[in-house]
Amino acid sequence: MMQTAAPIAFDREAARRAVLAERRRSALIDLGVTLSTIGVALLMGFVAVALLGKNPFVAYEALLTGPLTRLGRTGRWLELATNLILVGLGVSIAFRARQFSLGGQGQMVAGALIAALVAIYVPLPPVLGVVVPVAVAMAVGFLLGLLPGLMKAHLNANEIVSTLMLNAIVLRLYDYVLTYFLKPEGSSTTRSLPVQPTARLPTFTELLGVDLGRFNLGVVFVVLAVVGVWVLLERTPFGYTIRMIGANEQFARYGGINTRRTIALAFAAGGAVSALAGAHLLLGVHGRLFLDFVANIGWDGITVALLARNHPLVVPLSGLFYAYLLVGGDRVEQQAQVGSELVQVIQAVIVLLITAQVLGDWIRARRSRAIPSQEG
Amino acid sequence: MEQVLNVVFSTAFLAAVLRVSTPLILPALGGLISELGGVINIALEGIMLIAACAGVLVSVWTRSAGLGLLAGLALGTLTSLVLAFFHLNLKADLILAAIALNLLASGGTIFVVYLVTGDKSSTSRLVSGQMPFLRDIIPTIADLPTIGPILNQNILTYAAFVLTAAVAFFLYRTRPGVHLRAVGENPEAARSVGIDVRRMQYLALILSGALAALGGVYLSMGYVKFFARDMTGGRGFIALAAIYLGARHPLGVLVAALVFGAAEALAIQLGNLRVPTQLVQIIPYAATIIALVLYAIAQRQRVAARQRKFRQAA
């Protein structure tokens, strides 16, 4: 940065190149820090397993090769990644504006529930059978995100508390509707009827004739959502205002940006994408609703977004990575009698270390001191 | 409706309110200290969980409820120390680091419980110690008519009320308490008069961790006698809401926590009356959101009133 200010004759093109180069370097440092963080966390898990008297080599072989040991497991990995990438994208939008919306879990549940109401009871022709429930789910997710968004934007109500409370409410409502309305009379298990055949997203197992588990055409949603969120954040005025607010909210306000509207809409847009993940879980993976439908996926989406530093093009990578660990974690439990929660602990350590800004800043500071001497 | 009123005006209900409010009051007090110190502790939930788990396991291992309490307190405080270190020394975002610690607590406790018991859902197969109830100290107390069941609370419930007064005294009548609030109000101004901001914020986070840990120990070694997966059930977050509903004052926070406790106790009681439990369980969460909105509106009006006054004075 120093060297761009130094020349007396201002060379626009050189300055542009310098800024881009600096940004590239910064991204590389972020990447390096993230990768070494993951390494450190995995190493700590390794040591922990060893200290607990289990064989860490067996455990880690299962963890690191698990998803590739059988085609069905690979399918499970990709199916899980589809979900995680979608929620991760949803979470990243509000996070980008430095709004800690933790509503992904509830938005997924609500999306799945609303999609189910349409997909089970309304017979629709092919294609529309998928499109309509997905659209309805996204609309509900949008509204569910908008509510805490408006509360934060206009009343400065703590979004962490409000989104968590909404999660709890949505989950209870889901249980209520499922138990009292969707469960068929006389059924012993608490689950809904299956969705209409036209509402099912075909799995690749059906399409290709090889066992890829429940990995399904919902992967198209991922492609659309990644591109959509990237365009939204990086190539539209709305995305620019989101990023401005994330960088410095007060500055954005003094600059004339309607921060209230942007914040509320960022929450809502994230809610729509998270609800899409819920719809995928219903239409592509399970085909019907049951209790504890979403499990922990909404929470894992937060990790995925953080790992990717809320960048939409990196979210798919972090989603694939984290899903890989989760599937491997299940293998660890079977092979080494170490709880699959090991992965959750590793996840927590990764997030904790990534939040520690110091390391990246320190490298950056060293570099910026070093650069002038190279050029000077 | 009459049934509902009968429930609400029974001594059993009052006793229940005190019982279920305790694990809200303690973390809410902790959260209040952190909030006033300008470093709101979102990790209350995880700290409670870790303390609850450590308390049970150590009390089983040592056959001493007191050592269980100490272990829970120590580990809970250690967790908040980690949070303070990451935020204040490593410049980690306070909220993200706290989210990570909550994750760590949720996964880590089950990981450990599974290792110890081979069961992932709870430690109900182990015989945990329990903190004494008033009955265990003054045996005749439970026999008193009417007020007996109300007075016969866990000593940690009594501790919650005593600590409310202690926290109020600390925040408004002691030097570190006033410094702590000054740091939360305006760190730059506090620094300019020679207050060590980082030290005060360490203090705020550590105290909040210790109080939340007490709440966690109460859950697993008072309210019940086992540790169960994610047994805190969002209480750490409801406690955060109680801070705002209680207008960021210890007494207000106590009242707010009791209100949430009453809502929860009502949910439990109404569940017995064939009202769908899921709908009843929504009450405390919905109450929290409404409280959040009301607090925010009141806060805005307060600011507006102050601005009007300021303009008139000028």
Side-chain angles (χ1 to χ4, degrees), chain A residues 94-234:
Chain A
F95 272 32
R96 203 60 186 269
R98 283 193 68 76
Q99 303 299 314
F100 295 104
S101 165
L102 306 183
Q105 184 84 2
Q107 287 148 1
M108 263 188 98
V109 172
L113 178 62
I114 299 296
L117 292 180
V118 178
I120 295 172
Y121 297 107
V122 184
L124 287 165
V127 181
L128 272 186
V130 172
V131 172
V132 173
V134 165
V136 177
M138 288 182 74
V140 167
F142 185 89
L143 292 176
L144 201 55
L146 190 63
L147 180 63
L150 288 173
M151 282 170 63
K152 174 67 192 276
H154 289 274
L155 298 170
N156 200 25
N158 188 314
E159 75 271 29
I160 294 169
V161 176
S162 64
T163 50
L164 286 169
M165 295 301 114
L166 279 175
N167 284 349
I169 292 173
V170 169
L171 198 66
R172 296 320 185 274
L173 275 179
Y174 171 87
D175 281 5
Y176 173 70
V177 173
L178 182 62
T179 314
Y180 288 87
F181 298 101
L182 293 185
K183 189 177 110 175
E185 288 278 333
S187 164
S188 56
T189 47
T190 307
R191 58 178 202 183
S192 73
L193 293 169
V195 297
Q196 303 270 349
T198 53
R200 280 306 300 257
L201 287 161
T203 62
F204 285 106
T205 306
E206 293 157 6
L207 293 175
L208 303 178
V210 290
D211 176 26
L212 272 169
R214 294 174 301 192
F215 178 46
N216 61 75
L217 273 187
V219 73
V220 175
F221 293 152
V222 170
V223 178
L224 292 177
V226 168
V227 174
V229 174
W230 179 76
V231 169
L232 182 80
L233 283 177
E234 309 285 339

Side-chain angles (χ1 to χ4, degrees), chain A residues 52 98 100 151 154-155 158 160 164-165 169 172 176 179-180 333 338 340-341 344 348 352 355 357-358, chain B residues 86 90-93 96 100 104 107 111 115 120 229 237 244 278-279 281-282 285 292-293 296 300:
Chain A
L52 294 167
R98 283 193 68 76
F100 295 104
M151 282 170 63
H154 289 274
L155 298 170
N158 188 314
I160 294 169
L164 286 169
M165 295 301 114
I169 292 173
R172 296 320 185 274
Y176 173 70
T179 314
Y180 288 87
E333 189 161 318
V338 178
S340 56
E341 282 73 21
Q344 211 180 339
L352 197 58
T355 60
Q357 293 283 325
V358 161
Chain B
F86 267 83
L90 301 184
K91 293 186 200 159
D93 185 284
L96 295 181
L104 184 70
F111 184 72
L115 275 175
K120 278 195 174 185
R229 179 182 204 131
F237 299 112
Y244 300 109
Q278 295 96 341
L279 291 186
Q281 283 169 350
I282 287 178
Y285 303 112
L292 203 59
V293 171
R300 235 175 42 159

